[in-house]
Amino acid sequence: MDASAAVMNYPRRDARDKLSGRTRYTVDRSRPGMLHGAILRAQAAPARIVRLDVSAAEATPGVRAVITGRDAPGLHGIGVADQPLFAIDLIRHQAEPLAAVAADTMEIAKAALAAIRIETEPLPAAVTMEQALRPDAPLVHPDWTSYEVLFEGGGRSGNIAWEATVVRGDAEAAFSRPDVAIVESNFRIGRQNHLAFEPRAVIASYEDGRYHIETSTQVPWTVRNVTARVLQIPASSVRVTVPPVGGGFGLKFDCALEPFAALLARKSGRPVKLVNSRQEEMLTCLCRENAELRIRSAVTGDGEIVGREAVVLMDCGAYGGEQIFLTTMTAHTLLGNYRLGSVKLVSRAIYTHTAPNGAFRACNGVYNTFALERHTDEIAARIGMDPLAFRRRNVLGAGDLGATGQVFEGDALGPMLDRMAAVKASRPSRKAQAGRRLYGQATTVGTWFVFVGPSAATINLHSDGSASVITSGVEIGSGTMVQAVPQIVAAELGLRPEDVIVRAADTDAAGYDVGVGGGRTTVSLGAASRAAAIEVRRKLLAVASQMLQTPAEKLELRDGRIEIAGIRGSGTTIAKVAQRAQELLGPLSGVGAFTNSPVVSQPGCARGHFIEALEIPIFAVHDCEVAVEPETGHVEVLSYTVVQDVGRALNPRAIASQIQGGVAQGLGYALHEEITLDEQGRIRQTNLETYRVPLATDVVPVEIHLHEGAPSRGPLGAKGAGEVPILNVAATVGCAVARAIDRRVEQIPLTPPRVLAMILDKAPAVRLPHIAERWEDNVLPRPARKS
Amino acid sequence: MSISLTINGETHATNRDPLTPLVDVLRDDLALTGAKAVCREGFCGACTVLMDGQPVVSCLLPIASAAGRDIRTVEALSDGGELSPLQKALEQHDVVQCGMCFPGMTVALTSFLASNPNPTREQVKQSLVGNICRCTGYERIIDAVLAHAQAMQGGG
């Protein structure tokens, strides 16, 4: 097949209904006899539950079901099963669920919650990671040793939920060399809220002995499996279907309200709808986590990085969740981008008495890239080298070793830096626009990846010449399920994309899928769909070959027809062949599957990592110019330019939309979005007034250049394009502001008060006393591993 | 006491509490779910409707204050299933992503363009400050609005 047949600016098929208000998201749906659910959430934490009496709620007229921790005994988690559905005995964070009700109306449900009697006893708190790491810190999970470990290899101890390390080469020797400069940087980062417009929402029912969960999620199979785990029921008794999702960004990459609704439906015998209020969304958002980092490098005078060591503390909140997995990604991001002679890294997920964090578009890659690129600028300044020249000299290219000893294929970052330089040389600087303000400019590099994993697809080719694709893919707004997937299938089958129907996710109908996130949708679901289409094509050609008395290899499929190669009008329509096939063999179908293939890292070098090497890395080069007002610290972005590695751009216009949107989210993170916690571990920003996301007047048009041709196992050489645009935005803005004001930028967001304090030298340097001076003192003692 | 609401040209009587936000009646009682109750505090604009031609956030509008006024929701913009010219422009420019903000944004822009048929880029940007979009980064929406305004001017 000619790959270019799949490349087009195919428009979205769901735009029409979305524009006219007719799309039914989960929040817009209802069912006959449906009840309204509500959750009682903890006001204060940590605390011991002395008494939880729901009898008055149960006795309230119109209340059909009340559930508590007794109804859901199972623990779930990623890496470690540490999380119950409801707080049982211990409340570990504010807004943790205590009980839930289903009632005829929302008013009755709320009244029933108010009737629940709860007595608690306050416990000593560990709200910050510094507090949690003290030797005498209260343990967030006193029973941590009893938990089931779901993935082996991580270090664990007390409030250290997970520890992953990378040791490669002789860093000690590198740092002792007489010819190196040693540069150390510290960073502290806050939380970011996704603010998906559709809150987490679900309607569940219990029919014929099975649960049907209709939900706003990115991960139907995780919902199925986690619901089964916490309810202690067979996973096969749970069916998950997913309507259009009103924004995810990683927030919905975990099971959320679904088990509550399922339990309430079972207990009441009625469908139950459960929707988070905006305040609940803010208090229980699975934020991009706050983090604290120290990074230290040994660099020679001519700019060779001979050693790098780092300690990264990631706040997972009260439960490990995604952060346990994300310790893995520090190696590939904070220690990514550049050739390193030797490496020592420890990445720790720390339990605190705060709301759990989660996954958010490019996850910790975003702040790790910020920290790495700022550190890189500090190195360049120290050795007196131009920061761009330093990057050009050190970026990973073909055959270079990554942090964990994987050998990278192909040159991407070098040519992408060259492309950015050419773009910048072709147009004037915006410096004049800064006027009397301080001007800064920076070019940064970033590395992220495709979270490949298993996907499945089935395609039915119908006798009318249309095809339907059945997968567990979800349309969250990125467009993959309405653009890339039908484009790929149509190209393979010689159809128009509009002839390809894409079924909404249903775990009863489609095979397992990791979920929509991690930049994997086009790659994994696209590849599985393509494999299914190839099987259909083979069967179709076999029948066409008979009909046209021509060998299959001399036939081609396009424009809804099968032709003898090179002779237009010589063949017949695909519909006629499909009809013939149906008569001869029965309806035509094909199945496809895809998963990751092993990529080698250096044995023995990474411990506690879920992924030791990147199968499909994605690279990005960003540039921005800023103007900083010296009297107020206000930062204006004057220009923003992206060169993004996309493998092959299947829908360039849709990719550009993802880049514009991802950069805007990154600008919010860099400049004004931050979730902060008070002394009791409570989230301060509970609505859109206190959590400020970018408005139309805050953004700039992003100049976009797509870099094609880097190697990818994705279908037709594609890579994920929607996740990575946010990756280096904080890095680029942070470096540009640091240069503009000639100060060390160690924190984001760069709000006017923070920038002004730096300009006035009133911003204290970030100090991390809970990170020990010697790298080894930040690592749990572990038995030596056999090599 | 019953309150009479005129919504998309039809009269509806409701016995709901007079302080009930209009968005709840639209969504829960009339199945007009185009208006989205995203923040319920008037910040996001996703529940914007037209009241006597002016954009208002229906989450902060008690039904008592809407009584007797002409309320138009996003559903009325594409009456008979035909998208309005503005909606068509947004569709053709492929600017929609998750779509949750677009009903409110389309309503607000429809009103803005009625009084500013030939706006500058800056004016379009300013007109959108009451409508938050978390997906798109706005610029392509603005491109589409400007192209649409230009086409309408050109077409007389």
Side-chain angles (χ1 to χ4, degrees):
Chain A
M1 187 199 113
D2 174 14
S4 67
V7 174
M8 64 189 84
N9 284 330
Y10 178 57
R12 301 179 67 110
R13 55 183 62 179
D14 57 348
R16 197 182 169 79
D17 276 13
K18 284 180 170 176
L19 282 162
S20 52
R22 288 182 168 82
T23 298
R24 298 272 174 173
Y25 303 87
T26 303
V27 286
D28 299 322
R29 291 174 182 239
S30 59
R31 299 215 198 133
M34 186 179 83
L35 302 175
H36 299 269
I39 295 175
L40 180 69
R41 296 182 179 277
Q43 297 292 318
R48 183 174 306 285
I49 300 173
V50 179
R51 174 167 168 250
L52 180 65
D53 180 357
V54 298
S55 53
E58 284 171 327
T60 305
V63 170
R64 307 294 172 183
V66 180
I67 55 171
T68 66
R70 282 195 309 275
D71 299 286
L75 298 176
H76 68 101
I78 295 171
V80 180
D82 61 3
Q83 185 164 12
L85 190 60
F86 292 100
I88 302 172
D89 301 330
L90 282 184
I91 299 170
R92 296 187 173 88
H93 67 89
Q94 181 203 19
E96 187 161 18
L98 304 172
V101 303
D104 292 349
T105 67
M106 184 50 81
E107 290 69 30
I108 297 172
K110 283 183 178 165
L113 291 188
I116 294 175
R117 300 287 304 274
I118 171 132
E119 282 172 37
T120 59
E121 223 172 61
L123 293 170
V127 167
T128 64
M129 292 193 282
E130 185 178 352
Q131 290 165 0
L133 285 171
R134 285 180 188 147
D136 58 346
L139 293 186
V140 179
H141 293 268
D143 295 334
W144 67 273
T145 52
S146 70
Y147 292 152
E148 183 188 354
V149 174
L150 306 170
F151 182 89
E152 294 293 338
R156 297 171 63 225
S157 178
N159 286 334
I160 300 164
W162 195 267
E163 179 183 285
T165 57
V166 180
V167 177
R168 177 171 63 74
D170 191 345
E172 206 152 326
F175 278 88
S176 321
R177 274 170 60 158
D179 61 336
V180 296
I182 295 175
V183 181
E184 178 181 301
S185 316
N186 293 316
F187 300 96
R188 178 177 291 126
I189 318 287
R191 298 186 183 192
Q192 185 184 19
N193 186 309
H194 317 69
L195 221 118
F197 260 33
E198 186 188 28
R200 283 162 290 180
V202 55
I203 301 174
S205 58
Y206 187 70
E207 299 155 29
D208 295 329
R210 298 182 72 228
Y211 298 85
H212 177 198
I213 292 173
E214 188 176 33
T215 184
S216 183
T217 189
Q218 297 171 242
V219 286
W221 285 85
T222 303
V223 169
R224 175 186 185 266
N225 296 337
V226 171
T227 299
R229 195 178 162 95
V230 298
L231 270 56
Q232 299 192 338
I233 53 172
S236 59
S237 69
V238 182
R239 174 190 179 202
V240 179
T241 59
V242 189
V245 173
F249 315 115
L251 171 67
K252 298 167 184 170
F253 207 75
D254 205 347
C255 187
L257 298 177
E258 295 87 356
F260 299 99
L263 265 175
L264 289 168
R266 166 112 200 229
K267 203 158 182 179
S268 65
R270 303 255 295 265
V272 174
K273 185 173 184 178
L274 195 51
V275 179
N276 266 349
S277 69
R278 184 53 53 185
Q279 190 196 26
E280 285 176 297
E281 281 288 274
M282 298 300 291
L283 293 179
T284 66
C285 173
L286 301 170
C287 288
R288 189 191 312 280
E289 70 277 9
N290 52 305
E292 290 158 340
L293 305 88
R294 174 170 299 158
I295 177 167
R296 197 181 273 155
S297 299
V299 187
T300 65
D302 64 351
E304 182 186 355
I305 309 164
V306 294
R308 175 160 285 169
E309 56 178 45
V311 179
V312 178
L313 305 178
M314 308 159 62
D315 188 349
C316 53
Y319 298 102
E322 192 72 24
Q323 274 61 46
I324 286 181
F325 167 80
L326 288 174
T327 56
T328 287
M329 291 313 296
T330 308
H332 306 299
T333 53
L334 188 68
L335 298 195
N337 292 353
Y338 305 111
R339 285 190 305 278
L340 305 172
S342 59
V343 164
K344 283 198 285 194
L345 168 70
V346 59
S347 185
R348 290 175 151 186
I350 307 295
Y351 287 129
T352 59
H353 285 119
T354 65
N357 289 309
F360 187 150
R361 202 175 197 168
C363 298
N364 52 342
V366 181
Y367 63 74
N368 282 331
T369 302
F370 162 73
L372 173 58
E373 292 301 280
R374 278 285 307 116
H375 179 64
T376 300
D377 271 10
E378 292 183 358
I379 293 171
R382 173 75 70 84
I383 64 170
M385 199 167 182
D386 172 69
L388 198 53
F390 180 83
R391 286 178 170 83
R392 191 67 184 84
R393 182 203 188 286
N394 285 300
V395 288
L396 288 166
D400 287 336
L401 276 193
T404 59
Q406 106 175 71
V407 179
F408 275 82
E409 288 174 42
D411 271 316
L413 280 174
M416 290 167 70
L417 276 171
D418 294 344
R419 177 122 177 237
M420 181 64 87
V423 167
K424 290 181 64 65
S426 71
R427 62 175 200 215
S429 150
R430 298 283 179 91
K431 190 169 184 177
Q433 234 175 287
R436 40 155 217 89
R437 294 173 296 171
L438 304 166
Y439 170 83
Q441 173 278 331
T443 302
T444 68
V445 298
T447 305
W448 190 239
F449 80 130
V450 178
F451 184 45
V452 183
S455 282
T458 301
I459 294 179
N460 294 314
L461 182 69
H462 310 298
S463 59
D464 59 1
S466 67
S468 42
V469 186
I470 299 159
T471 72
S472 294
V474 173
E475 180 48 54
I476 60 171
S478 64
T480 306
M481 300 309 296
V482 291
Q483 294 174 310
V485 167
Q487 284 176 225
I488 291 167
V489 170
E492 203 61 63
L493 294 178
L495 302 173
R496 301 172 307 161
E498 43 271 55
D499 296 323
V500 178
I501 300 148
V502 179
R503 192 195 201 292
D506 180 346
T507 57
D508 274 6
Y512 176 77
D513 188 79
V514 172
V516 169
R520 67 181 298 283
T521 320
T522 299
V523 169
S524 294
L525 280 155
S529 300
R530 181 166 184 233
I534 288 170
E535 187 184 333
V536 173
R537 179 191 172 100
R538 186 175 47 75
K539 292 178 178 172
L540 192 65
L541 282 173
V543 176
S545 170
Q546 280 186 357
M547 287 170 73
L548 299 172
Q549 296 293 304
T550 306
E553 56 276 13
K554 293 208 167 141
L555 297 174
E556 57 187 29
L557 291 81
R558 62 167 177 209
D559 304 330
R561 293 179 60 83
I562 300 182
E563 309 278 23
I564 298 165
I567 312 171
R568 226 168 234 289
S570 57
T572 182
T573 65
I574 287 172
K576 283 197 176 129
V577 182
Q579 272 163 34
R580 184 73 186 129
Q582 187 165 303
E583 287 156 20
L584 290 172
L585 312 162
L588 279 183
S589 66
V591 294
F594 188 74
T595 192
N596 38 309
S597 52
V599 187
V600 187
S601 62
Q602 197 168 297
C605 145
R607 297 179 80 166
H609 283 68
F610 291 70
I611 297 170
E612 294 198 0
L614 301 181
E615 184 177 348
I616 306 179
I618 308 179
F619 302 103
V621 174
H622 287 203
D623 181 277
C624 89
E625 295 170 283
V626 300
V628 183
E629 198 168 57
E631 296 83 5
T632 63
H634 176 265
V635 178
E636 184 191 352
V637 175
L638 302 174
S639 76
Y640 206 98
T641 310
V642 170
V643 177
Q644 184 171 313
D645 158 34
V646 295
R648 182 193 296 276
L650 297 178
N651 190 324
R653 185 170 65 171
I655 291 174
S657 293
Q658 288 299 305
I659 293 175
Q660 176 70 41
V663 169
Q665 262 178 359
L667 291 175
Y669 185 56
L671 293 173
H672 48 78
E673 288 184 36
E674 188 176 26
I675 293 287
T676 57
L677 302 154
D678 69 13
E679 297 71 26
Q680 275 82 49
R682 293 175 301 204
I683 285 172
R684 285 198 179 98
Q685 294 75 15
T686 58
N687 63 11
L688 273 163
E689 183 182 20
T690 44
Y691 189 75
R692 181 155 141 35
V693 296
L695 307 177
T697 44
D698 293 319
V699 301
V700 291
V702 178
E703 184 177 335
I704 295 161
H705 300 272
L706 305 182
H707 175 80
E708 296 192 85
S712 171
R713 280 187 64 236
L716 312 171
K719 294 187 178 186
E723 182 165 46
V724 81
I726 198 172
L727 183 70
N728 350 10
V729 185
T732 317
V733 173
C735 289
V737 170
R739 293 180 196 176
I741 64 176
D742 193 24
R743 298 289 186 279
R744 288 183 106 170
V745 168
E746 301 175 302
Q747 297 185 72
I748 45 169
L750 293 164
T751 57
R754 183 171 275 160
V755 174
L756 185 61
M758 284 191 284
I759 292 171
L760 299 175
D761 291 321
K762 285 182 175 167
V766 168
R767 294 192 191 289
L768 305 170
H770 47 300
I771 295 183
E773 194 54 33
R774 271 184 72 240
W775 181 86
E776 283 73 13
D777 295 336
N778 297 287
V779 182
L780 291 170
R782 295 170 76 185
R785 202 151 62 166
K786 286 178 203 149
S787 54
Chain B
M1 202 190 77
S2 173
I3 290 174
S4 173
L5 298 169
T6 308
I7 294 166
N8 301 337
E10 287 180 18
T11 306
H12 301 273
T14 175
N15 289 317
R16 288 252 215 165
D17 183 311
L19 288 177
T20 306
L22 177 64
V23 69
D24 289 346
V25 173
L26 296 177
R27 291 177 55 83
D28 301 344
D29 301 349
L30 304 177
L32 295 169
T33 55
K36 306 298 181 199
V38 172
C39 75
R40 300 187 72 93
E41 290 184 322
F43 291 107
C44 73
C47 66
T48 304
V49 299
L50 296 179
M51 182 160 77
D52 297 335
Q54 294 301 309
V56 292
V57 285
S58 60
C59 67
L60 296 184
L61 183 68
I63 50 172
S65 304
R69 318 285 291 269
D70 177 34
I71 304 291
R72 300 260 159 193
T73 69
V74 65
E75 284 86 351
L77 297 184
S78 53
D79 210 9
E82 181 79 3
L83 292 184
S84 75
L86 169 66
Q87 288 172 320
K88 275 185 194 153
L90 293 168
E91 183 190 29
Q92 280 159 9
H93 282 76
D94 199 42
V95 300
V96 176
Q97 291 189 30
C98 96
M100 285 282 289
C101 72
F102 273 91
M105 198 171 274
T106 310
V107 169
L109 284 169
T110 300
S111 160
F112 168 73
L113 288 169
S115 47
N116 302 273
N118 193 17
T120 64
R121 188 171 194 92
E122 195 49 39
Q123 286 171 325
V124 178
K125 271 201 167 192
Q126 291 292 341
S127 82
L128 284 176
V129 295
N131 292 88
I132 295 173
C133 173
R134 193 52 163 161
C135 296
T136 65
Y138 304 101
E139 295 290 340
R140 276 144 206 278
I141 299 173
I142 297 162
D143 292 341
V145 171
L146 289 171
H148 160 72
Q150 209 161 33
M152 298 311 267
Q153 294 289 306

